[in-house]
DNA sequence: CGAAAACTTGATTGTTCTCAAGAACAGTGG
DNA sequence: CCACTGTTCTTGAGAACAATCAAGTTTTCG
C-alpha cells in the first residue's frame, strides 16, 4: 500500500501517537480505490458521505465562476485528507478532480465519527490537520490578494517543496510536479500567458526551473526571498529549514 | 447580555438542539468581556488558549505582508466564534482586531473540550460553523482570484447582508457596516482609490449606496446579478431569499 | 472649533490581460 | 517507428483594468 506512512507521519507531527492509537488508525482504513487522471473524486451528483486519504498522486480542489473561470483552492498531496468537510457539511463547497492517476484509501463516515469520539488523541490530530490546511488556504488568499505575480509563483513553488518534504516526498530541492501552467494560472489568479513569462523570468535569473512536470530549485534562499516566504504557517514548531 | 441569541440561533440552524443541549450551551459561557475599537482580541504575545463568542460589534482577521500590505481574511459578525482554531493549533495563523467597540463571551478551553467530547450534538454544530466559515473564506478566495473589482465589491456587500439576516441583525436590505474603504480595499485585494470609484459606480447605477457606515441596497436583484452571487455557500438548505 | 482622518476626484503610470500565431511536446493509429 | 493531431508552451503587440501620485473636500472626533 503506497505511502500510508505519509498520513501517519503527518498526524504524529501534531500529537504523539502510541501503539494503541496506531492500531486505531489501521482500523480507520477502508478499501483502497483508484481514480484515473481527470476524474472527480467522490461523486458530484450524490452527497459525499465518505472522506479519503490521498495515498498517491495529485488532486486539485476548485470552484468555477459564472463566466467559466476557475479558481483552484488548493492542491492536496499524498498524506492529505480529501473531503473531510463533507462529513460535516451536507454539501461540499468545491469540487475535487485528480491531476494524475490517484490512489486513495476510503474512510467510512461512521467509522471516523466513532473513532473520533472514542479517541481524543486521534480526533485532536485530525482537527489539527484541518487547521493546518486552513492556514494554507489563508496564506493562499494573502498571495492572491496582496502579492505580485512573481511573488505568487515563487511562493507556491516554495510552499510545495516544503509540504512535500514534510510528507517525505521530496528530499532535495527538486520535485515532480504534475501541474500545468493552466493550473498555476487558475490557482494564482493570473493568466496562462503571464504565468509563462514569470516562469521564464525565474528560470533566467537561475532561481528555479519548472519544465516537463519537474521543479528544480537552483537557489532556495533566493526563491524564498523573492516569495517573501515565512514558513511558520506550515510549520509552527520550526522543524523545517 | 446582548445577542447571545445570535449564536444559539446559528448553531440550531445546523442541528436541532433540545432543552439539554441549550443548558449545556449555557454552561459553556464564560465571563463577558469588552474590547474597545482598534484593539487586538486575545493577546498576540501569549498563546491564545481561549475562544470567544462575538456578542456585539465587528472584528477583522488579517495577515500582514513583508512590505506592510494587509490582507483581510474575514469579518466575523455577532454570533460568530473567534479563535476556535487557536484551541487546536498552538499558533494563530492570523491576528484579530476589533473594528468597533466589541462585546464577547469568553469560552474557556477546557470547558469547550469537555462539552464537545460529552455532547456530540454540540460538537457537530460547532464543527459545522467552522465548515461554514471555511466555505466563506473559499468564496472570498474566488472573489480575489477570479472576479473583477466591481464583482468583488458587490459580492462582499451581498454576502454581508445575507450573513446579517441569517443572524437576525438585518431585516430589510439595509445594514450598519463599520468598514471603511481601507478595509474593503485590503479585504478585496484592491487599492482604496479604486474601491472609491467602484462604490461611486454602484451608487450612480442606483444599485447600492455605502455612506457613513451604512449600506443601503436599492436593488438587491441587480446587486446579486452584478456580483454573480450564488447563496448556496452560505445557505445549503436554501433558507434565504 | 480645530485637527486629523477618511473620502473624492483627476491625471498618469504600470502590471497584467487579451488576442494572435508559431513552436515544442505527447498521445494515437497506421 | 513515424506521421498525424491535439494539447501545452512560448513569444510578441496592443489594450485594459487597476495602481500610484497628487490635491482637494468632507466627515469625524476631541
Amino acid at each position: 500500500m503506497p505511502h500510508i506512512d505519509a498520513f501517519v507521519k503527518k498526524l504524529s507531527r501534531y500529537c504523539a501517537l502510541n501503539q494503541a492509537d496506531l492500531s486505531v488508525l489501521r482500523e480507520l482504513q477502508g478499501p483502497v480505490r483508484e481514480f484515473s487522471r481527470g476524474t472527480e473524486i467522490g461523486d458530484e451528483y450524490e452527497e459525499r458521505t465518505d472522506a479519503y486519504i490521498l495515498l498517491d498522486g495529485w488532486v486539485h480542489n476548485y470552484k468555477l465562476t459564472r463566466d467559466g473561470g476557475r479558481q483552484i483552492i488548493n492542491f492536496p498531496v499524498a498524506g492529505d485528507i480529501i473531503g473531510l468537510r463533507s462529513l460535516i457539511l451536507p454539501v461540499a463547497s468545491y469540487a475535487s478532480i485528480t491531476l494524475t492517476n490517484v490512489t486513495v484509501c476510503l474512510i467510512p463516515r461512521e467509522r471516523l465519527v466513532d473513532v473520533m469520539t472514542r479517541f481524543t488523541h486521534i480526533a485532536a490530530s485530525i482537527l489539527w490537520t484541518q487547521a493546518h490546511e486552513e492556514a494554507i488556504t489563508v496564506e493562499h488568499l494573502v498571495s492572491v490578494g496582496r502579492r505580485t505575480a512573481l511573488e505568487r509563483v515563487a511562493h507556491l513553488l516554495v510552499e510545495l517543496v516544503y509540504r512535500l518534504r514534510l510528507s517525505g516526498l521530496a528530499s532535495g530541492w527538486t520535485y515532480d510536479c504534475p501541474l500545468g501552467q493552466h493550473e498555476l494560472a487558475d490557482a494564482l489568479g493570473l493568466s496562462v500567458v503571464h504565468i509563462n513569462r514569470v516562469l521564464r523570468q525565474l528560470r533566467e535569473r537561475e532561481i528555479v526551473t519548472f519544465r516537463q512536470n519537474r521543479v528544480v530549485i537552483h537557489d532556495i534562499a533566493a526563491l524564498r526571498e523573492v516569495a517573501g516566504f515565512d514558513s511558520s504557517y506550515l510549520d509552527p514548531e520550526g522543524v523545517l529549514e
Side-chain angles (χ1 to χ4, degrees), chain A:
Chain A
M1 191 180 296
H3 293 306
I4 186 75
D5 293 342
F7 176 65
V8 175
K9 180 176 177 181
K10 189 165 293 191
L11 283 192
S12 55
R13 282 187 57 232
Y14 303 119
C15 196
L17 300 175
N18 58 31
Q19 218 46 44
D21 295 325
L22 293 178
S23 72
V24 168
L25 279 179
R26 242 166 269 130
E27 174 187 340
L28 204 57
Q29 290 169 40
V32 170
R33 290 181 61 180
E34 310 272 343
F35 293 94
S36 61
R37 177 174 185 225
T39 58
E40 178 146 5
I41 289 197
D43 188 324
E44 71 179 313
Y45 300 111
E46 50 182 284
E47 286 187 7
R48 301 202 295 183
T49 53
D50 296 312
Y52 303 89
I53 298 167
L54 182 54
L55 299 178
D56 190 47
W58 288 60
V59 175
H60 69 305
N61 295 322
Y62 67 92
K63 286 199 78 160
L64 297 178
T65 56
R66 183 171 43 161
D67 52 348
R70 173 178 64 161
Q71 177 63 48
I72 294 180
I73 313 303
N74 55 22
F75 298 107
V77 302
D80 289 341
I81 299 181
I82 297 172
L84 188 52
R85 288 155 216 77
S86 67
L87 298 185
I88 307 170
L89 220 55
V91 194
S93 62
Y94 44 72
S96 301
I97 288 192
T98 58
L99 292 164
T100 62
N101 292 339
V102 153
T103 310
V104 299
C105 166
L106 195 147
I107 307 181
R109 179 199 176 96
E110 296 75 22
R111 213 180 289 177
L112 181 66
V113 172
D114 178 54
V115 164
M116 285 182 72
T117 50
R118 285 189 297 135
F119 298 88
T120 50
H121 264 197
I122 305 276
S125 295
I126 287 178
L127 290 176
W128 210 332
T129 64
Q130 274 312 100
H132 188 250
E133 268 186 42
E134 205 215 330
I136 292 173
T137 303
V138 164
E139 198 64 37
H140 190 172
L141 178 56
V142 173
S143 270
V144 174
R146 282 289 179 238
R147 286 198 250 258
T148 65
L150 188 67
E151 291 171 328
R152 290 183 214 183
V153 173
H155 200 277
L156 179 59
L157 295 180
V158 184
E159 177 185 302
L160 287 174
V161 76
Y162 280 116
R163 286 176 57 199
L164 292 170
R165 286 163 69 93
L166 281 172
S167 297
L169 299 174
S171 46
W173 300 110
T174 294
Y175 57 99
D176 290 314
C177 180
L179 308 180
Q181 298 184 356
H182 195 54
E183 277 71 45
L184 294 182
D186 287 343
L188 299 177
L190 297 166
S191 70
V192 176
V193 173
H194 204 60
I195 288 284
N196 186 284
R197 295 192 216 279
V198 169
L199 285 177
R200 170 157 56 125
Q201 197 187 334
L202 287 169
R203 199 185 321 125
E204 287 172 349
R205 289 168 64 180
E206 296 186 344
I207 296 175
V208 58
T209 300
F210 187 170
R211 281 204 143 133
Q212 267 108 30
N213 290 343
R214 189 147 186 86
V215 174
V216 180
I217 299 173
H218 307 301
D219 186 341
I220 181 65
L223 188 61
R224 287 183 60 139
E225 173 57 28
V226 168
F229 186 82
D230 173 354
S231 64
S232 56
Y233 75 103
L234 281 182
D235 176 43
E237 274 107 33
V239 182
L240 289 170
E241 305 319 313

